[in-house]
Amino acid sequence: MDILYLMILCSVSLAVVFLVVFIVFAKKGQFEDDESPAVRILFDSGEIKEKEDAGNNNDKKKGDNNKFEEKSE
């Protein structure tokens, strides 16, 4: 029975810690911008550029993806 009281005390104290952390971050503005991460993927950032290897196209092994590309050309 003593372990039950200890477990209840630990779970309530852990819940209070999470509540305090949530309130602190909510006051700092962590959860205010919820729209831009969902829209950010739609815009090109210009940081990611594809590498073009013109001479290495014949070195690819034939697989499922290459079969589709060969048929579409």
Side-chain angles (χ1 to χ4, degrees), residues 3-67:
I3 192 70
L4 187 62
Y5 294 132
L6 179 65
M7 289 178 65
I8 290 172
L9 179 66
C10 289
S11 64
V12 169
S13 63
L14 186 65
V16 168
V17 168
F18 280 130
L19 181 65
V20 168
V21 169
F22 175 75
I23 290 172
V24 167
F25 282 123
K27 286 186 179 183
K28 286 185 178 181
Q30 179 74 25
F31 307 112
E32 288 181 4
D33 189 19
D34 58 348
E35 187 174 332
S36 68
V39 178
R40 188 181 311 150
I41 195 168
L42 300 175
F43 299 113
D44 290 333
S45 64
E47 296 175 3
I48 302 173
K49 296 181 181 178
E50 294 182 14
K51 296 181 182 179
E52 296 180 10
D53 294 334
N56 295 333
N57 288 338
N58 295 332
D59 295 339
K60 293 181 181 178
K61 294 181 180 177
K62 290 187 178 182
D64 294 333
N65 294 335
N66 292 338
K67 288 179 185 177

